[in-house]
Amino acid sequence: MNLVIQAFKYAAEPFFFKQSGNQDSPVLYAKVMHAFILFCTCLMIAISVNLDWLGPLFLRSPGYEEGLFIVPMLLMGYLLLGIYFNLSIWFKIMDKTGYSFWITLAGAAVSIGVIFFIVPIWGFLGGGLSTLASYLVMCVICFFFGQKILSYPLSNRKIYFSI
């Protein structure tokens, strides 16, 4: 999932920058993010449903299989990371990359807090929760700041059905 997200990021960012001067670019960004979410959600479901045979295929040691239950949580976290990459185009286009530092710092603080307090109690599950919580906080912060500067028409159903 992370490889798919990185490949998407490297392909989409030049496209986003090229389209930044277009008046309808927020609508285009919303369509791209919608298609991205649909594809990655299908990928996440396909991997999660097939973990019982994918796990032993890639993890040769039986000791590793005990941590497979956190894979869906990690996949959801990486989906949120991909959404963050989509949402973060506003501060890249506007040359306000300082926002990236503060948003990442907030995500790191959440991750460290969850790891410090939850991992000693819940083990693997706490590690998965730290990833999920960190990327969720980053998405929410980026979305709210981005809506003030570059308004994505994310609630318009006509956009989603015209893909």
Side-chain angles (χ1 to χ4, degrees):
M1 176 76 102
N2 202 13
L3 290 173
V4 168
I5 290 167
Q6 290 300 324
F8 173 80
K9 179 183 170 187
Y10 288 122
E13 280 190 0
F15 174 73
F16 287 159
F17 280 111
K18 184 178 179 184
Q19 296 297 321
S20 65
N22 188 350
Q23 183 181 5
D24 294 331
S25 62
V27 174
L28 180 64
Y29 298 156
K31 285 181 179 182
V32 170
M33 184 160 58
H34 181 69
F36 171 81
I37 291 170
L38 284 174
F39 177 79
C40 286
T41 301
C42 291
L43 180 63
M44 181 179 70
I45 291 169
I47 292 171
S48 297
V49 168
N50 293 303
L51 268 179
D52 56 339
W53 67 269
L54 283 174
L57 182 68
F58 291 103
L59 305 172
R60 303 289 179 182
S61 177
Y64 293 125
E65 291 179 18
E66 72 181 72
L68 281 178
F69 70 96
I70 68 164
V71 170
M73 190 180 316
L74 292 173
L75 291 171
M76 184 63 194
Y78 287 126
L79 173 61
L80 290 171
L81 178 64
I83 293 170
Y84 168 74
F85 286 147
N86 273 284
L87 291 173
S88 69
I89 196 64
W90 66 265
F91 61 73
K92 294 173 186 172
I93 289 173
M94 308 259 177
D95 200 26
K96 296 184 179 195
T97 54
Y99 281 98
S100 176
F101 171 76
W102 295 109
I103 293 170
T104 304
L105 187 66
V110 167
S111 183
I112 290 169
V114 172
I115 287 170
F116 185 72
F117 292 109
I118 304 295
V119 169
I121 299 168
W122 289 353
F124 290 135
L125 183 59
L129 282 173
S130 74
T131 300
L132 184 62
S134 173
Y135 294 146
L136 178 63
V137 165
M138 290 170 62
C139 271
V140 169
I141 293 171
C142 190
F143 175 75
F144 284 115
F145 279 113
Q147 283 298 93
K148 291 180 181 180
I149 296 171
L150 177 72
S151 182
Y152 280 84
L154 297 178
S155 61
N156 190 345
R157 290 185 180 191
K158 288 181 182 179
I159 290 171
Y160 301 133
F161 293 114
S162 66
I163 292 180

